[in-house]
C-alpha cells in the first residue's frame, strides 16, 4: 500500500523474476501513465486466464492504467469472471463472498482512513452485473445511501457468464441465453437512476471502445470518492462466449451496443465538480466564458 | 499450431497510430518500439506482438482494419513466423521498448 512495497529487498534483486524486475523499474508506480503510453511501460495487470478477446479484460486493463495512484489503491471484487483478471495484478485485491464486496469495501475504506489519515488510499470495487445488481444489490445500495467513499464499477456483461449463461437483472428484456431459453421477461434494471437516487456523487456509463474516455471517467470517479462520496461507473463489457460474438467482432459489438443502449452519460454533483476543480485543477467544470458576439446582444 | 497476430512493421511505422496497443485485452502483449521503425528509416516506431502472450482473438486486426484503416495486422500460424518477439527478450526504456527477435519455436 505504498511505494515501499514495490521495491527490491536488499540482495534479492537478481533472484526476482523478470516480470517483477520490469514492474519495479518500468511500472507505473509513482509515475503518471496514460493510455497513450500503452505498450511502452510494464502494466499492473499480468497474464490472466480470461477468454481470448474478452472486452471485460480490456476494460480492466484500461481501468488499472487509469487509477490515479495505483500504489495506493486496493481493488475489491467478488465471484464472477472479472476477478480472474483483477487478481492477477500488482496491486492488492480483496475477494469477498458473493455479493458482499461493497460491505467489505466500506469497512476497508473506513479502516484505511483511520490508519492513514489524510493520505489518500483508494478503494475500487470491480464486480460483475450479478455481484452488483442481483446478489450484492442490497449491500451496494446501502453503501451508496451511507455515502461510503469508494468507487463501485459494474462490469456489465448482461449475463452470468461464469456459470453457463443465466439471465441477470442487467440482461436485456427478450434476450435468449443458454439458461434462459424462453428469453428474459423483465426489463434491464436501471442502476444508473438508482445510483443517483441513492446519492452517488458521480455516475457514468462507458464502453471500452473509447480507451481515453474510460481513463478519464475512472480517474474522476476515484478522485471524487476520496472525499465527496460514493461514485458509480457502469461499463458494458460483453461476454463473447455467452452472446456468441466472434472475438474479432467484439469492438464492433461494443460500438453497436453503445449506439443502442449504452450511450456515454455522466452525472456529477455540484459538490464533486467544485472538488475536482479546486483540488485537482479540472477545467471542464469552470463556467464557460460568453462568446464575444453574444455579449453585445 | 495456433494463430497469433503479426504486425507489418513497414505499414505500422509509417502510420504509428498506436491504436492496437490500446485495444488488446492482454496486458503488455502489443508493445511499442521506437527502434523497430527507425531501423527501417521511418520517423516513428512500430507496434509489435509478444507472441507468447497473444491469445489470437484478432481484436487488433479489426481495430487496425476498421478504426485505423491501416490493414497492418494479420493472423499468422505461429510456426510460419521465423522470428518473433517473446516476453523474455523485451526490455523497457523510458518511453519505448526494445525487442530482440527470436524463433518462437525455439523459445
Amino acid at each position: 500500500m505504498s511505494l515501499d512495497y514495490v521495491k527490491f529487498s536488499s540482495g534479492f534483486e537478481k533472484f526476482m523474476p523478470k516480470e517483477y524486475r520490469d514492474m519495479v523499474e518500468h511500472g507505473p508506480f509513482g509515475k503518471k501513465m496514460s493510455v497513450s503510453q500503452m505498450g511502452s511501460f510494464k502494466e499492473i495487470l499480468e497474464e490472466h486466464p480470461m477468454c481470448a478477446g474478452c472486452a471485460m479484460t480490456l476494460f480492466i486493463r484500461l481501468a488499472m492504467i487509469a487509477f490515479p495512484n495505483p500504489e495506493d489503491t486496493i481493488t475489491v471484487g467478488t465471484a464472477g469472471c472479472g476477478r480472474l483478471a483483477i487478481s492477477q495484478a500488482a496491486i492488492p485485491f480483496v475477494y469477498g463472498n458473493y455479493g458482499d464486496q461493497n460491505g467489505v469495501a466500506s469497512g476497508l475504506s473506513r479502516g484505511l482512513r483511520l490508519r492513514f489519515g489524510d493520505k489518500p488510499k483508494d478503494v475500487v470495487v470491480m464486480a460483475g452485473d450479478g455481484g452488483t445488481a442481483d446478489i450484492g444489490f442490497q449491500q451496494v445500495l446501502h453503501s451508496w445511501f451511507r455515502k461510503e467513499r469508494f468507487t463501485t464499477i459494474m462490469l456489465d456483461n448482461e449475463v452470468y457468464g461464469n456459470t453457463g449463461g443465466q439471465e441477470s437483472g442487467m440482461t436485456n428484456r427478450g434476450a435468449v441465453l443458454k439458461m434462459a431459453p424462453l428469453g428474459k421477461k423483465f426489463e434491464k434494471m436501471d442502476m444508473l437512476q438508482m445510483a443517483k437516487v441513492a446519492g452517488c456523487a458521480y455516475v457514468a456509463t462507458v464502453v471500452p471502445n473509447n480507451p481515453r474516455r474510460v481513463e478519464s471517467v475512472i480517474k474522476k470517479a476515484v478522485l471524487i470518492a476520496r472525499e465527496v462520496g460514493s461514485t458509480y461507473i457502469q461499463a458494458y463489457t460483453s461476454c463473447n462466449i455467452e452472446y456468441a460474438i466472434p472475438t474479432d467482432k467484439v469492438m464492433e459489438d461494443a460500438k453497436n451496443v453503445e449506439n443502442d443502449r449504452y450511450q456515454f452519460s455522466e452525472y456529477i454533483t455540484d459538490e464533486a465538480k467544485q472538488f475536482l476543480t479546486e483540488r485537482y485543477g479540472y477545467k471542464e467544470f469552470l463556467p464557460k466564458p460568453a462568446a464575444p458576439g453574444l455579449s453585445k446582444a | 499450431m495456433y494463430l497469433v497476430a503479426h504486425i507489418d512493421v513497414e505499414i505500422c511505422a509509417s502510420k504509428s497510430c498506436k491504436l492496437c496497443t490500446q485495444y488488446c485485452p492482454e496486458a503488455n502483449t502489443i508493445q511499442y518500439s521506437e527502434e523497430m521503425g527507425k531501423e527501417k528509416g521511418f520517423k516513428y516506431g512500430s507496434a509489435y506482438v509478444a507472441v507468447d502472450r497473444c491469445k489470437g482473438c484478432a481484436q487488433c486486426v479489426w481495430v487496425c482494419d476498421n478504426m485505423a484503416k491501416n490493414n497492418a495486422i494479420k493472423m499468422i500460424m505461429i510456426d510460419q513466423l521465423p522470428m518473433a518477439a517473446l516476453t523474455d527478450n523485451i526490455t523497457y526504456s523510458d518511453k519505448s521498448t526494445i525487442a530482440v527477435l527470436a524463433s518462437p519455436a525455439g523459445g
Side-chain angles (χ1 to χ4, degrees):
Chain A
M1 275 308 282
S2 77
L3 281 175
D4 284 337
Y5 100 113
V6 276
K7 284 181 183 165
F8 299 116
S9 297
S10 168
F12 282 85
E13 184 180 341
K14 62 183 174 185
F15 300 110
M16 300 310 287
K18 182 180 186 305
E19 286 81 1
Y20 192 91
R21 276 185 279 122
D22 286 343
M23 178 55 67
V24 175
E25 288 161 2
H26 302 285
F29 296 113
K31 301 170 199 158
K32 300 277 179 224
M33 293 298 187
S34 76
V35 295
S36 59
Q37 293 160 283
M38 284 166 88
S40 305
F41 65 94
K42 176 70 184 162
E43 291 173 40
I44 297 168
L45 188 63
E46 248 303 328
E47 285 185 288
H48 52 74
M50 302 276 275
C51 305
C54 177
M56 189 183 286
T57 325
L58 171 59
F59 180 84
I60 292 168
R61 183 178 171 224
L62 295 168
M64 294 209 167
I65 290 168
F67 290 159
N69 289 66
E71 65 276 10
D72 291 319
T73 304
I74 293 186
T75 51
V76 183
T78 191
C81 301
R83 60 91 162 71
L84 296 168
I86 305 164
S87 56
Q88 307 301 314
I91 51 177
F93 170 69
V94 179
Y95 183 56
N97 290 316
Y98 205 171
D100 73 357
Q101 72 280 358
N102 278 49
V104 170
S106 302
L108 192 59
S109 165
R110 291 182 190 193
L112 290 169
R113 278 168 220 279
L114 284 174
R115 167 68 180 77
F116 293 100
D118 291 339
K119 186 167 172 46
K121 298 284 176 184
D122 301 320
V123 175
V124 179
V125 170
M126 276 201 264
D129 47 320
T132 308
D134 295 349
I135 295 161
F137 183 62
Q138 61 100 346
Q139 300 216 17
V140 169
L141 230 60
H142 271 269
S143 74
W144 291 343
F145 275 114
R146 293 196 306 267
K147 300 204 178 346
E148 299 285 355
R149 288 173 289 174
F150 61 83
T151 303
T152 307
I153 300 175
M154 182 203 280
L155 308 165
D156 181 13
N157 58 5
E158 304 185 325
V159 65
Y160 283 86
N162 228 345
T163 48
Q166 294 82 4
E167 67 177 48
S168 81
M170 297 301 286
T171 304
N172 260 329
R173 183 178 183 150
V176 175
L177 297 159
K178 283 180 200 154
M179 299 283 179
L182 299 177
K184 191 186 172 194
K185 294 190 171 63
F186 312 101
E187 296 294 336
K188 183 180 176 91
M189 288 169 71
D190 189 353
M191 286 295 282
L192 297 168
Q193 205 55 39
M194 275 186 270
K196 291 173 199 169
V197 169
C200 283
Y202 181 81
V203 180
T205 45
V206 277
V207 172
N209 66 355
N210 191 336
R212 282 175 194 275
R213 183 179 283 161
V214 172
E215 181 184 32
S216 140
V217 159
I218 287 179
K219 266 206 169 71
K220 282 187 234 175
V222 173
L223 293 175
I224 291 169
R226 283 182 180 173
E227 285 196 21
V228 183
S230 306
T231 55
Y232 173 59
I233 294 171
Q234 189 175 305
Y236 173 70
T237 56
S238 64
C239 177
N240 52 311
I241 303 295
E242 294 304 334
Y243 278 90
I245 307 163
T247 54
D248 61 339
K249 298 279 190 290
V250 165
M251 280 302 114
E252 193 177 340
D253 165 76
K255 207 173 168 189
N256 293 339
V257 171
E258 185 180 29
N259 293 336
D260 177 50
R261 58 182 178 275
Y262 249 97
Q263 288 90 354
F264 172 63
S265 69
E266 194 177 42
Y267 160 86
I268 179 164
T269 61
D270 290 340
E271 191 189 355
K273 279 183 193 171
Q274 191 183 351
F275 174 74
L276 284 184
T277 308
E278 289 176 5
R279 183 68 65 86
Y280 294 103
Y282 274 71
K283 293 192 175 124
E284 61 183 276
F285 307 115
L286 290 171
K288 303 228 173 349
L294 292 174
S295 57
K296 287 178 191 167
Chain B
M1 283 303 126
Y2 53 96
L3 290 163
V4 290
H6 177 68
I7 301 176
D8 186 317
V9 173
E10 303 219 344
I11 303 175
C12 186
S14 64
K15 307 282 182 180
S16 203
C17 71
K18 290 193 187 178
L19 271 188
C20 55
T21 63
Q22 298 173 16
Y23 282 87
C24 176
E26 306 298 313
N28 291 124
T29 300
I30 302 188
Q31 302 276 64
Y32 180 76
S33 166
E34 289 281 354
E35 280 202 353
M36 213 172 259
K38 286 178 181 167
E39 276 170 4
K40 298 202 172 191
F42 291 97
K43 191 179 170 189
Y44 303 108
S46 169
Y48 64 93
V49 179
V51 291
D52 52 334
R53 284 174 171 245
C54 178
K55 288 182 181 170
C57 68
Q59 229 174 83
C60 52
V61 177
W62 191 88
V63 168
C64 193
D65 291 356
N66 296 281
M67 293 176 83
K69 308 212 184 288
N70 291 338
N71 304 308
I73 311 181
K74 299 275 176 287
M75 300 307 290
I76 291 181
M77 282 289 173
I78 192 159
D79 61 347
Q80 303 297 310
L81 281 175
M83 301 290 265
L86 297 163
T87 302
D88 278 350
N89 302 332
I90 294 171
T91 48
Y92 291 83
S93 58
D94 281 349
K95 288 181 180 170
S96 177
T97 64
I98 299 163
V100 179
L101 302 185
S103 162

